[in-house]
Amino acid sequence: MHEREADELGLRYLYRRLDLDVMGQPATAVGDVLAAARLVGYDGLNVTHPCKQLVLPHLDELSPDAEALGAVNTVVFRDGRAVGHNTDWSGFARAFDRGLPDAALDRVVLLGAGGAGAAVAHALLTLGTRRLTIVDVDAARAGELAGALGDRFGADRATGAAPATLDATLREADGLVHATPTGMAAHPGLPVDAALLRPDLWVADIVYRPLETELVRTARRLGCRVLDGGGMAVFQAVDAFRLFTGVEPDAERMLAHFTELVAGPGPDVRIS
Ligand SMILES: NC(=O)c1ccc[n+]([C@@H]2O[C@H](COP(=O)([O-])OP(=O)(O)OC[C@H]3O[C@@H](n4cnc5c(N)ncnc54)[C@H](O)[C@@H]3O)[C@@H](O)[C@H]2O)c1
Ligand SMILES: O=C(O)[C@]1(O)C[C@@H](O)[C@@H](O)[C@H](O)C1
């Protein structure tokens, strides 16, 4: 997606996957990878699960958003310094704005309080969600995230809740955002009971492989307004591309490329 957009813009741009599993390295080796990338002259890196927090001590500076979120998915090397940014939250916010404009934001339920869930929660509150209920099988994690958001946005804006309360909370909600791994090719299934989906509930899934998750398919069939995870994946890349190059990419063109890419076979992961 990055390379194709750069080709369109006439930029010379190499985007390489450095996969710790393929390298036989633990997640804690992210600092070594960062140092190696800096040494050999990369302009920056995207960082993904499970390294978005582990990378923090290896950075010289954080953008205000990355600092607030305590997570980095984009590192830019500039003037000898490694600067961490978070484009997951801005990517979700833009995708949401584009895909579900005018969606009611009075009461929203977020399922999943992990790294991506934290970025989505920041975006939802920034977009104006009045009351956000965060549900996670790890109820303590949901509570911690709600507490951190409360410090930034106001104590009454976010609440952590256990899965047992999901039915009651969803019945009163305007929208549901799903941010757990359920629905990915490796974790198929529906994260909530289909009986809880009703036509006046909007549903956003952030899983994007496949784009048409069981949740997206079921919610659409039941008449809900639906947003799939593709927009977030693309717009986080749009914001990262701008940070790496200083050039504004064509977001709609990247979205079209991405849709083509996810429809094809998965990447061939090999390092030689
Ligand atoms: N669209 C995008 O750009 C984008 C970006 C990052 C991640 N993602 C997607 O988001 C998913 C989550 O990523 P992450 O990095 O936050 O993972 P993570 O492992 O950090 O967090 C997942 C959270 O979900 C919770 N959980 C798991 N099953 C649950 C269930 N049945 N009910 C309630 N909570 C449950 C876990 O306890 C955990 O807190 C990924 O699997 C990926 O598909 C999408
Ligand atoms: O793991 C993913 O799904 C990501 O989309 C991969 C990578 O592009 C990162 O920049 C994103 O934060 C997360």
Side-chain angles (χ1 to χ4, degrees):
M1 182 167 51
H2 282 257
E3 289 188 347
R4 247 175 101 168
E5 180 56 18
D7 285 349
E8 296 278 357
L9 292 166
L11 298 175
R12 189 150 166 73
Y13 190 116
L14 297 176
Y15 190 95
R16 291 288 174 263
R17 172 137 73 162
L18 306 174
D19 188 320
L20 290 164
D21 286 340
V22 174
M23 289 187 264
Q25 295 294 319
T28 47
V30 64
D32 295 335
V33 175
L34 192 87
R38 194 197 308 227
L39 189 67
V40 300
Y42 276 85
D43 294 307
L45 298 164
N46 277 134
V47 180
T48 193
H49 184 83
C51 298
K52 291 179 183 178
Q53 277 108 20
L54 289 170
V55 74
L56 296 176
H58 305 285
L59 301 173
D60 300 308
E61 197 180 321
L62 293 177
S63 72
D65 294 334
E67 176 131 44
L69 277 160
V72 159
N73 79 317
T74 303
V75 178
V76 180
F77 298 125
R78 194 134 301 153
D79 303 325
R81 293 171 71 71
V83 184
H85 300 262
N86 189 300
T87 69
D88 285 326
W89 88 266
S90 55
F92 178 82
R94 188 159 164 199
F96 189 88
D97 227 19
R98 178 184 177 279
L100 291 174
D102 67 27
L105 288 172
D106 194 24
R107 292 166 191 241
V108 178
V109 175
L110 169 65
L111 191 59
V120 165
H122 185 87
L124 287 168
L125 291 175
T126 302
L127 287 168
T129 296
R130 282 218 307 140
R131 269 165 297 176
L132 181 67
T133 305
I134 304 163
V135 179
D136 197 293
V137 277
D138 184 338
R141 184 177 291 171
E144 275 165 34
L145 177 58
L149 291 161
D151 291 344
R152 301 206 293 279
F153 293 93
D156 56 336
R157 303 268 310 271
T159 315
T165 63
L166 186 61
D167 293 21
T169 322
L170 260 186
R171 263 186 215 106
E172 298 191 338
D174 299 305
L176 164 70
V177 185
H178 171 249
T180 87
T182 306
M184 293 176 77
H187 306 277
L190 197 58
V192 294
D193 186 348
L196 295 170
L197 304 175
R198 42 172 223 281
D200 62 340
L201 181 81
W202 56 258
V203 175
D205 201 344
I206 72 160
V207 172
Y208 65 89
R209 230 175 215 284
L211 274 182
E212 189 81 357
T213 58
E214 203 168 326
L215 176 62
V216 164
R217 201 169 37 250
T218 307
R220 190 176 285 127
R221 181 171 52 78
L222 294 171
C224 306
R225 290 172 72 196
V226 170
L227 182 69
D228 68 38
M232 178 180 178
V234 171
F235 287 114
Q236 63 78 28
V238 166
D239 291 349
F241 187 104
R242 187 188 312 103
L243 286 164
F244 293 144
T245 63
V247 175
E248 187 63 41
D250 181 330
E252 292 303 323
R253 187 165 58 199
M254 285 177 78
L255 204 50
H257 287 166
F258 175 83
T259 308
E260 224 178 85
L261 287 167
V262 289
D268 183 13
V269 185
R270 236 179 276 156
I271 290 184
S272 51

